[in-house]
Amino acid sequence: MLNAYNKIANLYGLIASAVYGTQLNQAKQILVQTLPKHGNVLIIGGGNGEILQAIFDYAPHLSVTFVEASDTMLSLAKQITPETMSINFVHSDSFDYRQQHIDAIYAAFFFDIFSPTDADKIIQILEEKHPNKPTWHIADFNLQGVTKWKSLRKVQIKASILFFRLVANHAYTELPPLFSYFRNKGFKSLTKKTLAYNFLCIEVFQRP
């Protein structure tokens, strides 16, 4: 939803840290290390751009298309973008951008705000838009297989869902089975790491 996050854009990082500590940032940093060193990367739901410096430090020759539905988030991201980074900012909630060839898609804690049906649609849209089979670099929550503090994790997820339903009018009520979706659709897992006793999953997929 376009600009749904505007009113919490400046506080988003603080809210995430208050609920999950530093673990989300750790997962994002690990995900950056899975990106290619060259080519074109699409960042969907890039938020306030806090990860851009890490991407530039890791792969300064990457060309980035940064798609974000909140214009306030985009303004924050532009303020901290490395000066020599090759980047195109796109304000959109429909993935309407000019870059035709994408080598990698970076989605860190993006799909958890969508219903399973909407998440499925987004993945299909981007797969059809880029038939060259880009790699999908995903970091997100995964309640399946959590080995410690599962009750706490469920409470955290429920609290997050309720919060975003109140402030951004999201209609979803549960996490989409994101990682199972990719496997069930025949995507190949190229690499996988987990944090927080499997609560956070970092995985790279590609269609064979």
Side-chain angles (χ1 to χ4, degrees):
M1 187 180 298
L2 208 61
N3 295 328
Y5 280 74
N6 277 5
K7 55 188 174 183
I8 62 168
N10 289 289
L11 299 174
Y12 186 81
L14 292 175
I15 294 170
S17 295
V19 178
Y20 299 105
T22 62
Q23 294 174 329
L24 301 193
N25 284 333
Q26 292 175 10
K28 292 175 185 177
Q29 295 286 341
I30 293 172
L31 189 62
V32 167
Q33 301 297 312
T34 69
L35 290 172
K37 289 281 191 175
H38 297 83
N40 301 306
V41 60
L42 169 66
I43 299 177
I44 53 176
N48 60 13
E50 62 184 356
I51 203 63
L52 290 176
Q53 185 65 57
I55 292 175
F56 183 74
D57 292 341
Y58 170 73
H61 301 295
L62 271 181
S63 293
V64 176
T65 299
F66 187 100
V67 178
E68 169 57 46
S70 165
D71 56 10
T72 304
M73 288 282 199
L74 275 180
S75 295
L76 294 172
K78 290 176 181 179
Q79 293 173 24
I80 60 174
T81 301
E83 290 186 6
T84 59
M85 188 175 207
S86 175
I87 187 166
N88 176 35
F89 289 101
V90 180
H91 180 220
S92 174
D93 62 352
S94 62
F95 307 103
D96 183 18
Y97 51 89
R98 295 180 180 178
Q99 180 60 260
Q100 295 301 307
H101 180 86
I102 293 294
D103 299 292
I105 299 172
Y106 177 100
F109 302 97
F110 170 75
F111 285 104
D112 53 272
I113 67 172
F114 295 99
S115 69
T117 299
D118 288 339
D120 178 77
K121 288 179 180 178
I122 291 169
I123 294 168
Q124 288 189 41
I125 287 170
L126 291 175
E127 277 289 299
E128 292 172 1
K129 192 177 182 72
H130 303 293
N132 58 300
K133 301 180 182 179
T135 49
W136 286 80
H137 301 253
I138 308 292
D140 225 310
F141 304 105
N142 183 28
L143 286 174
Q144 298 176 347
V146 172
T147 59
K148 192 172 183 180
W149 300 318
K150 190 167 187 176
S151 295
L152 171 63
R153 300 311 187 190
K154 288 181 178 180
V155 170
Q156 288 176 312
I157 292 298
K158 287 182 178 180
S160 297
I161 288 174
L162 177 60
F163 175 78
F164 288 116
R165 290 185 71 183
L166 291 174
V167 303
N169 296 318
H170 287 300
Y172 72 108
T173 58
E174 61 184 9
L175 285 177
L178 181 62
F179 299 98
S180 296
Y181 169 87
F182 278 100
R183 290 186 177 83
N184 292 338
K185 291 293 184 178
F187 284 77
K188 181 181 179 181
S189 177
L190 303 181
T191 185
K192 178 181 178 180
K193 295 183 180 180
T194 61
L195 293 174
Y197 301 99
N198 296 327
F199 178 52
L200 304 179
C201 186
I202 302 97
E203 195 157 6
V204 180
F205 294 96
Q206 189 173 34
R207 189 178 294 282

